[in-house]
Amino acid sequence: MMSIKRVFCIFVIAVVGCKKTAATITTKNTNLKYFSVWELEGAESPAVAKGWSNFLFTSGNISDILRWHAAGVGPSLLHVRDVFFDGDMLRADWEQRWESTFAQLSPAIANGAAMGVFLGDELAWSCIPLSNISAVASRVRVDIPRGKGIIYYNEAFPPFVPDGMKMWQTQCPKTPAAQLSYSQAPEALDWLSIDYYPDEGTVEGAIKLVQGYVYPKMSSDQYFLFVPPAYGAGNDTLREQLCCNQNTRDGPNPECNANCTSAMIQWAVACYNWARNDTRIVGLNPWHWTGAAVANARFEPGLSNLPTVLDMYKKIGQEIVQGTLGDVE
């Protein structure tokens, strides 16, 4: 059976290069220090994450942050989307809500249980104007100065790319066209990420997209995380469509014969090899943890019910958390 490293070589040799049996690290990325999984707070116990995950970011509950920190996992970013936004609208009392939230968050930052905030997922893609995202980030920055904590959020890819405008307009039909603009990442951010999956494109396509369209919109003191896929699907047709689509905007993914496990492992290893060569990347946080296998379900099960994929991500997480950044197979 062909090894994962050989699969990676065939898949992305034009991007980072590799030997016949292992990917070559052309530049060891010492900034790559963080690994987590979306919804990891939904695990049955913090013990599940020990040794391979070193931050959390999807809970908006301070008590969750304190509980996981007490168990030796974390620190966490507090998820604060609902503090600021109601749907695509900036709340009228958003500043007062933030002041109340920060009063609870500040002690957790001081004792190391928290390390900042996660502003939310796909905010511009959810039709929130960039000006409002920037205003929120700038207000948080007043209370969490750069270097004292992290401000992070995740975005979808269409706002960044020229061919994404039509998709964005379809997604946000009530939003004035003038507000559908993403000229620059909010200045107050520390971390920005995008999610990109095999139903949309390929790993090589993700690298080109990020390096060609996302990095130019980031300042030199901002860093990037990448959100790779970690999911299955509920029937063979969906597995082909969602896990190894042959007709994406980037071209075909490697064929998987409706085997999401093999496709997810290919993506995991390829994204890890990209990350350990790209010094703008500080972390990986695959989507997602929760979800059981259900007939005809899209993007389910999650990583918690994909044991072989989970084993691979545990290896990757250990390499990142320990700072070794060695090969995985």
Side-chain angles (χ1 to χ4, degrees), residues 20-229:
K20 288 185 178 180
T21 58
T24 300
I25 300 181
T26 57
T27 302
K28 185 174 181 179
N29 177 15
T30 57
N31 294 321
L32 181 59
K33 298 177 180 178
Y34 296 95
F35 187 85
S36 188
V37 180
W38 288 72
E39 306 162 359
L40 186 55
E41 296 93 333
E44 63 271 19
S45 166
V48 170
K50 279 191 174 182
W52 59 275
S53 176
N54 62 352
F55 81 105
L56 300 157
F57 63 99
T58 52
S59 175
N61 191 322
I62 292 284
S63 62
D64 284 344
I65 288 175
L66 297 176
R67 178 172 62 89
W68 280 70
H69 184 252
V73 180
S76 296
L77 299 167
L78 183 67
H79 187 182
V80 293
R81 186 194 197 284
D82 290 344
V83 172
F84 299 111
F85 302 107
D86 181 7
D88 61 355
M89 301 296 294
L90 186 64
R91 295 180 184 273
D93 60 345
W94 66 274
E95 291 184 279
Q96 293 89 344
R97 290 170 64 92
W98 166 246
E99 289 170 3
S100 176
T101 298
F102 185 67
Q104 301 175 62
L105 177 61
S106 181
I109 293 176
N111 69 21
M115 63 177 186
V117 299
F118 175 58
L119 297 180
D121 180 30
E122 299 187 344
L123 300 181
W125 184 242
S126 299
C127 314
I128 298 173
L130 179 61
S131 59
N132 287 348
I133 303 170
S134 295
V136 162
S138 294
R139 177 62 187 87
V140 173
R141 185 90 285 167
V142 172
D143 290 323
I144 306 177
R146 198 176 300 276
K148 301 296 184 181
I150 299 296
I151 302 174
Y152 161 51
Y153 101 97
N154 180 68
E155 191 52 80
F157 79 87
F160 293 97
V161 298
D163 65 334
M165 181 55 69
K166 185 174 181 180
M167 288 184 281
W168 202 5
Q169 290 173 330
T170 300
Q171 175 75 1
C172 303
K174 297 180 181 181
T175 304
Q179 293 183 7
L180 295 180
S181 171
Y182 206 101
S183 56
Q184 196 73 18
E187 182 180 355
L189 287 182
D190 295 288
W191 295 353
L192 177 67
S193 65
I194 67 164
D195 48 81
Y196 202 68
Y197 308 138
D199 65 318
E200 300 167 319
T202 65
V203 175
E204 183 176 355
I207 296 169
K208 291 178 179 178
L209 187 159
V210 169
Q211 294 179 345
Y213 295 105
V214 180
Y215 289 171
K217 296 180 184 293
M218 297 168 62
S219 65
S220 60
D221 57 358
Q222 293 175 328
Y223 289 91
F224 185 75
L225 292 87
F226 185 65
V227 181

